[in-house]
Amino acid sequence: MPAYVPLSTYRLQLSADFGFDEAAELAPYLKSLGISHLYTSPVLKARAGSAHGYDIVDHTTLNPEYGGQEAFDRLVGALREAGIGLIIDFVPNHMGVGHADNTWWLDVLEWGQTSPYAASFDIDWEGLPYRHPGVLLPILGSPYGEALEKGEIELKYDAREGSFSAWYFDHRLPISPHRYSEILNTVVTAAEAADGTPGRALLELAARNAGPGTPSRDEAPAFKTALAGIDGAAAVIERGLAAYRPSHQTGVATLHRLLERQHYRVAFWRVAVAAINYRRFFDINDLAGLRVEDPGTFVIIHELVAKLAAEGRLQGLRIDHIDGLWDPRSYARRLQHLLRRVRQSATPFYVVVEKILADGEQMPPLPGVAGTTGYEWLNVLSRVLVDAGGLAPLERLWGEIAGTDRNFRATLEQSKRQVLDTILASEFGVLTSLLARIAAGHYSTRDHTIDRLRAALELFIVEFPIYRTYVTAAGATAQDRATIKRAIAAARARWQGPDPEIFDFLHDALTLDLVGKGRSGYSKSRVRRFALKVQQFTGPVMAKALEDTAFYRHARLLALNEVGGNPEASALGADEFHGRMAERVKQFRDGLTATATHDTKRGEDARVRILALSELPDEWAAAVAAWQRQNASLVERSADSRRPSAVHEYMLYQTLLGAWPLAGPDDGLAGRMVQYAIKAAREGKVETSWISPNPDYEASLERFVRRMLDRQQSAAFLESFAALAGRVALVGALNSLVQLALKATMPGVPDFYQGTELWDLSLVDPDNRRPVDFKARSAALATLDATPDWAGLARHWPDGRIKLALTRHLLGLRNAYPGVFRGGAYHPLEVSGEDRDHVLAFARSEGRNAVIVAVGCRLAPMTDHGRRWPALSWNAALTLKGFSGPRDLLNAGRPLPGDAIPGGTIPVSRLFENIPVALLAAIPKSAR
């Protein structure tokens, strides 16, 4: 691992309340913790009041709400003083639009296709059946006609700028200057102006600019200046604007005619489901897709980050939603070329990408990309910790609760079809129409009707197993061909029609074989556009169907319902884990390893608690049955409904187990659980949804949660729940330390999400973006000795300091042995004895240095069903063949008698005296 690659990263979520100066204050704490690089959420100017920073409105300016340039300079200075690098989250895929603070978008609305920024947005100008091509803006909270009649859309004049805009609350809709003469004539007439008044000057200005296409874009600034300079004009215009208001006899019709002649179409927000002609980020209307493949757009949006990199104030980038781009490979290549040029260095710049890989999917070769942000490794760690023996009983219990034997594949298919029919229907319709035009352009395929093509494309997407392929204008790779071929074959096998050859056509369109060597007659530009647009579409379909729908319908074991995960995943044995680590050393070893992010479905310690249910399936099943009886009176029933549903009730028990405070329920727990419950129900899209909320169901759900957590109404339930929660919390804490040790020592760069150095029992966002008490963490760190008292920390494990101590120890280890962890070799180690399947061990080595790691797995049997931190008893031994001179790195480097024991073995009970983690320094015998 080259020196420019971080040894560790610490993710901070910035906000108006926690900006650059607050981040700078953390530099000493992060240094004491051992972090090598701070990794922040986006730092560029976002929409005013943004809660997350991903709705960028200006890529050339640092976010003023975070303190702007001066505060950013202070952050960089504080990090330099602490010896910490800086990585920022960068958003090239989309911008925040729809309000009054994105000058690019406003210019496009004002000037349409003649705007210099029109090429920056992915807009299908001819995609809607309107007389004047325009952008559909689904921003209205009610149907367009109602909004007009209520006066919610209002024409206003800005006297300072000399400009007209329609406003819908805080949405600004610039009026085309080509319509200013029409407006001036209307308002002056309405204001009854006479000769010699400002009204006459307005009419004269209107007459000079009354021709078609007048004023031009170049002439418009002077026209607006002249308009703003007419004395008394503002008062006349303000009086005359009454002609565009509902109070005027023809006001609604007059405003409607004006709006119909703009470069946009204002619409009810629900219209976006069926008709929208700009690419969005997933289904979010006010995040418009950028065409970063446009050379001018690429240069402008990277101008500031390139400058920061050239000045040495930035050491890395995390690229948000790489799969949303037209051509990720080309983007990655251009990005590295730009950064090397401005830095005048041949050394690659550290770049990781947010990329969801399905299990077994190979990372595509993106030039200069070190790897992903680590979701695939999060799920590997979960599968190492899950108990294979408990999955079958949990599956049976889930079947009894769900009342169906339908597998997850069927749930995912149903979710995909629902997404295609609703929230992404308009984008799917655009692709279908494009495919139909391609087919109609050649005699051999003109009989493929649009309905049949839609059905075939839908079946292909349903069977498509990953987020996207990476076909470029040059064609498809062997890996992409294999993926497309499998999905086409699966779709063809299910086809009920008499025309299976339609899939040959679809295959050749997706791979670009339709316009390849020796093929002619099809429009190359259309085929390429279709193939590459499909790739931008399959990712949002998978994300919305899998992560944001199916994950909230299938609840066998919620800990496996994680970004990049599979709810039906099996446990991962030691041999398979070692195999994956060996492969990672060879490829993309410099990517991040995450256990929590701003997008994970639950906190890392909440997740491992839920994983522990696989170790306690019988206890869990008995407890759930008891809780269902105890809470039966809280369930609201009617002839045809149960509120909450049995599925939601079961999900709530698992979620509550993960979030249960170690000291018992606090005042905020009920509110957090209500927030989670409603979000989960809406995401699942069965009883309620974001598009069509069901207030009655949601109200019943909230009542159930609050009554369930009310000691006056549910004392017996809370007592029973607390008993199992305490047991699971103990096993979860042990699992957490194991997860932490593996994350920090396996190949890759460990990433720590803000605040997770203590127990992280958060839920899905926005719960996981709550403010972090860094003062408490800093104070706790100050109480820890350089060589921690592990036994004492274990006795007081609920306070979380044992996790904090291990975090600092592991980071210190990485800093002390950078060569070992920056690309050192990986060696599986043998474990013998009756409990060998409960131990995972490996070594990392480089030159004369080696670090040996051993952890315990599936630890519930070792806790003896108690609630106290156990003195773990093991019948297993670790073999140190190939290594000598072992020293205990958790205990001041004290020697261990590895060589004195026959075969070089060490009893695991000697290693796991206080915690189920052992870290040893040793010398590889090959280095002697």
Side-chain angles (χ1 to χ4, degrees):
M1 188 184 294
Y4 68 86
V5 175
L7 278 166
S8 58
T9 60
Y10 191 96
R11 166 78 179 205
L12 278 181
Q13 289 294 118
L14 300 176
S15 68
D17 296 324
F18 193 95
F20 298 138
D21 283 327
E22 288 76 13
E25 292 175 1
L26 290 184
Y29 169 71
L30 297 179
K31 180 180 180 179
S32 297
L33 199 59
I35 294 294
S36 78
H37 285 67
L38 174 64
Y39 153 39
T40 73
S41 59
V43 301
L44 304 182
K45 184 180 178 181
R47 195 173 65 196
S50 172
H52 46 72
Y54 287 91
D55 40 5
I56 304 294
V57 297
D58 185 352
H59 284 81
T60 66
T61 305
L62 291 164
N63 198 326
E65 293 192 348
Y66 300 168
Q69 183 69 57
E70 293 184 0
F72 182 78
D73 291 342
R74 290 191 290 271
L75 170 60
V76 171
L79 293 176
R80 281 178 175 169
E81 185 176 347
I84 296 173
L86 177 62
I87 298 169
I88 65 169
D89 203 335
F90 183 73
V91 187
N93 175 68
H94 54 266
M95 292 185 79
V97 300
H99 293 260
D101 45 10
N102 187 324
T103 57
W104 287 19
W105 187 250
L106 293 176
D107 197 84
V108 171
L109 298 184
E110 185 173 10
W111 293 101
Q113 297 178 72
T114 64
S115 168
Y117 304 111
S120 297
F121 295 102
D122 201 349
I123 301 169
D124 180 8
W125 289 98
E126 305 297 332
L128 296 175
Y130 296 121
R131 180 178 177 184
H132 301 284
V135 184
L136 183 77
L137 300 179
I139 61 173
L140 303 179
S142 58
Y144 171 68
E146 290 183 17
L148 276 178
E149 291 171 352
K150 292 177 182 177
E152 293 175 346
I153 306 173
E154 187 175 6
L155 183 63
K156 296 182 180 181
Y157 173 64
D158 187 326
R160 293 170 304 172
E161 295 183 358
S163 65
F164 290 96
S165 296
W167 284 82
Y168 178 73
F169 296 101
D170 59 345
H171 292 268
R172 180 188 171 194
L173 307 167
I175 298 298
S176 168
H178 296 164
R179 300 296 168 186
Y180 278 23
S181 293
E182 170 190 328
I183 295 173
L184 293 177
N185 282 305
T186 301
V187 298
V188 171
T189 300
E192 298 180 353
D195 291 349
T197 67
R200 181 165 183 80
L202 290 173
L203 292 176
E204 290 175 352
L205 181 62
R208 293 197 299 270
N209 294 272
T214 303
S216 68
R217 183 181 174 81
D218 292 338
E219 297 167 339
F223 176 57
K224 292 180 180 179
T225 299
L227 178 57
I230 298 175
D231 290 338
V236 174
I237 292 173
E238 186 56 42
R239 289 198 305 273
L241 284 176
Y244 291 91
R245 293 174 185 146
S247 56
H248 191 278
Q249 184 177 3
T250 61
V252 171
T254 304
L255 179 57
H256 169 62
R257 282 196 301 271
L258 178 66
L259 292 175
E260 283 293 280
R261 289 162 174 78
Q262 302 308 309
H263 298 292
Y264 50 81
R265 297 291 177 272
V266 189
F268 186 25
W269 69 269
R270 291 182 183 274
V271 173
V273 171
I276 198 165
N277 62 332
Y278 64 91
R279 180 171 60 86
R280 301 169 292 174
F281 174 71
F282 295 168
D283 61 333
I284 303 175
N285 294 336
D286 55 4
L287 292 179
L290 280 175
R291 293 185 64 251
V292 74
E293 64 272 16
D294 172 68
T297 303
F298 179 91
V299 170
I300 295 173
I301 72 168
H302 292 88
E303 178 181 294
L304 179 55
V305 293
K307 179 176 180 287
L308 295 176
E311 294 170 348
R313 295 194 286 171
L314 186 63
Q315 285 71 47
L317 288 173
R318 180 259 200 196
I319 304 301
D320 182 67
H321 193 45
I322 190 77
D323 279 353
L325 304 186
W326 174 262
D327 184 351
R329 282 197 184 116
S330 176
Y331 172 79
R333 185 180 299 108
R334 293 166 67 194
L335 178 63
Q336 279 295 347
H337 176 76
L338 170 66
L339 294 171
R340 288 185 181 186
R341 178 173 57 79
V342 298
R343 292 163 56 241
Q344 298 181 345
S345 172
T347 303
F349 196 71
Y350 185 70
V351 175
V352 292
V353 297
E354 183 198 26
K355 163 67 186 169
I356 310 301
L357 292 169
D359 190 42
E361 180 187 357
Q362 293 183 352
M363 174 73 177
L366 302 176
V369 170
T372 73
T373 52
Y375 292 119
E376 66 271 33
W377 307 114
L378 178 157
N379 289 289
V380 163
L381 291 174
S382 291
R383 293 175 62 190
V384 166
L385 295 173
V386 79
D387 190 334
L391 290 178
L394 290 176
E395 183 68 37
R396 289 194 295 271
L397 176 59
W398 165 240
E400 293 171 5
I401 288 172
T404 177
D405 59 358
R406 188 174 60 191
N407 61 24
F408 181 70
R409 177 184 173 85
T411 300
L412 178 58
E413 175 176 333
Q414 183 188 57
S415 301
K416 279 189 173 183
R417 291 186 185 276
Q418 185 172 351
V419 165
L420 290 173
D421 288 342
T422 55
I423 57 179
L424 295 179
S426 57
E427 289 87 346
F428 186 49
V430 169
L431 287 174
T432 301
S433 296
L434 180 55
L435 184 61
R437 288 198 295 271
I438 293 169
H442 196 273
Y443 64 85
S444 66
T445 52
R446 64 177 296 179
D447 284 345
H448 293 324
T449 66
I450 190 169
D451 289 343
R452 302 301 285 163
L453 289 167
R454 177 187 174 88
L457 183 58
E458 178 175 346
L459 203 50
F460 167 79
I461 291 173
V462 164
E463 293 291 342
F464 194 71
I466 59 177
Y467 279 71
R468 70 165 285 166
T469 50
Y470 293 82
V471 176
T472 69
T477 64
Q479 180 178 337
D480 287 337
R481 284 183 176 278
T483 300
I484 293 170
K485 184 178 180 180
R486 286 198 303 272
I488 287 287
R492 190 197 304 267
R494 299 178 58 183
W495 187 247
Q496 299 295 315
D499 50 351
E501 66 278 0
I502 200 170
F503 288 101
D504 296 327
F505 166 69
L506 180 57
H507 172 276
D508 290 351
L510 292 165
T511 59
L512 296 185
D513 289 351
L514 210 59
V515 292
K517 187 176 181 180
R519 302 287 290 270
S520 62
Y522 290 100
S523 166
K524 287 187 177 181
S525 61
R526 283 180 178 172
V527 174
R528 286 174 180 167
R529 179 172 174 78
F530 172 77
L532 273 65
K533 291 294 289 181
V534 166
Q535 295 180 134
Q536 289 180 292
F537 182 66
T538 54
V541 171
M542 184 67 88
K544 299 307 295 182
L546 178 65
E547 298 171 33
D548 293 345
T549 305
F551 278 2
Y552 291 94
R553 294 181 180 180
H554 189 94
R556 177 187 68 159
L557 186 63
L558 287 180
L560 296 177
N561 296 19
E562 195 50 85
V563 181
N566 176 6
E568 289 191 317
S570 59
L572 202 64
D575 289 344
E576 191 170 356
F577 176 82
H578 292 319
R580 295 191 183 210
M581 294 304 104
E583 285 299 314
R584 192 178 188 190
V585 168
K586 298 175 185 176
Q587 291 185 321
F588 300 105
R589 68 187 182 191
D590 301 340
L592 301 183
T593 303
T595 46
T597 77
H598 57 290
D599 282 330
T600 42
K601 301 300 183 185
R602 51 200 51 85
E604 61 181 47
D605 298 316
R607 183 169 57 251
V608 294
R609 281 186 180 183
I610 298 171
L611 287 172
L613 296 180
S614 66
E615 303 178 56
L616 308 165
D618 295 337
E619 292 179 51
W620 170 247
V624 168
W627 300 337
Q628 288 173 325
R629 291 192 299 271
Q630 291 167 336
N631 291 331
S633 63
L634 307 182
V635 176
E636 299 175 13
R637 301 175 187 271
S638 64
D640 58 352
S641 71
R642 179 194 198 275
R643 298 182 294 190
S645 69
V647 168
H648 283 157
E649 182 180 358
Y650 188 56
M651 291 175 68
L652 286 172
Y653 292 145
Q654 291 187 56
T655 302
L656 183 59
L657 200 66
W660 189 259
L662 289 163
D666 54 34
D667 292 340
L669 182 62
R672 292 172 57 211
M673 287 296 298
V674 166
Q675 184 181 56
Y676 170 84
I678 292 176
K679 175 168 182 171
R682 288 184 177 182
E683 296 284 26
K685 305 173 185 65
V686 178
E687 292 83 4
T688 184
S689 70
W690 296 105
I691 293 177
S692 299
N694 182 336
D696 291 340
Y697 184 84
E698 292 178 6
S700 295
L701 194 57
E702 178 171 358
R703 285 192 292 271
F704 178 83
V705 171
R706 293 194 181 279
R707 292 168 179 170
M708 178 179 70
L709 294 175
D710 185 343
R711 289 200 174 277
Q712 298 300 315
Q713 298 188 61
S714 304
F717 162 74
L718 290 173
E719 181 179 357
S720 171
F721 194 90
L724 184 61
R727 168 105 169 96
V728 171
L730 172 61
V731 179
L734 295 170
N735 282 344
S736 176
L737 299 183
V738 171
Q739 177 177 252
L740 172 61
L742 291 175
K743 175 175 78 171
T745 57
M746 63 191 272
V749 178
D751 173 44
F752 295 82
Y753 185 63
Q754 60 177 25
T756 58
E757 55 271 34
L758 294 181
W759 303 129
D760 172 25
L761 306 179
S762 61
L763 303 173
V764 71
D765 71 276
D767 193 68
N768 62 9
R769 304 187 194 192
R770 289 174 296 155
V772 175
D773 188 348
F774 285 109
K775 289 184 178 179
R777 283 159 176 77
S778 183
L781 188 64
T783 68
L784 300 174
D785 296 331
T787 302
D789 174 13
W790 297 107
L793 290 170
R795 285 194 296 272
H796 301 283
W797 66 269
D799 65 18
R801 290 189 307 140
I802 192 166
K803 186 184 181 187
L804 179 64
L806 185 59
T807 299
R808 185 180 68 173
H809 209 83
L810 289 162
L811 290 172
L813 194 61
R814 292 185 67 86
N815 293 326
Y817 295 93
V820 168
F821 294 106
R822 272 196 170 121
Y826 181 91
H827 312 274
L829 295 181
E830 180 183 344
V831 181
S832 59
E834 183 180 338
D835 294 329
R836 61 185 178 276
D837 291 338
H838 291 270
V839 181
L840 180 66
F842 57 87
R844 304 291 309 281
S845 70
E846 186 255 351
R848 290 184 55 80
N849 294 314
V851 173
I852 293 168
V853 181
V855 297
C857 303
R858 298 169 295 281
L859 299 169
M862 283 70 176
T863 64
D864 194 28
H865 299 279
R867 290 187 57 175
R868 293 185 304 164
W869 194 270
L872 300 176
S873 177
W874 297 84
N875 182 2
L878 174 63
T879 299
L880 298 184
K881 183 179 180 181
F883 300 92
S884 63
R887 293 179 292 108
D888 188 348
L889 291 171
L890 282 176
N891 292 286
R894 72 182 183 188
L896 290 172
D899 286 341
I901 300 175
T905 62
I906 298 178
V908 168
S909 57
R910 175 75 181 274
L911 299 175
F912 296 166
E913 289 180 338
N914 296 299
I915 60 175
V917 173
L919 303 167
L920 310 177
I923 301 172
K925 291 183 179 178
S926 60
R928 288 181 175 178

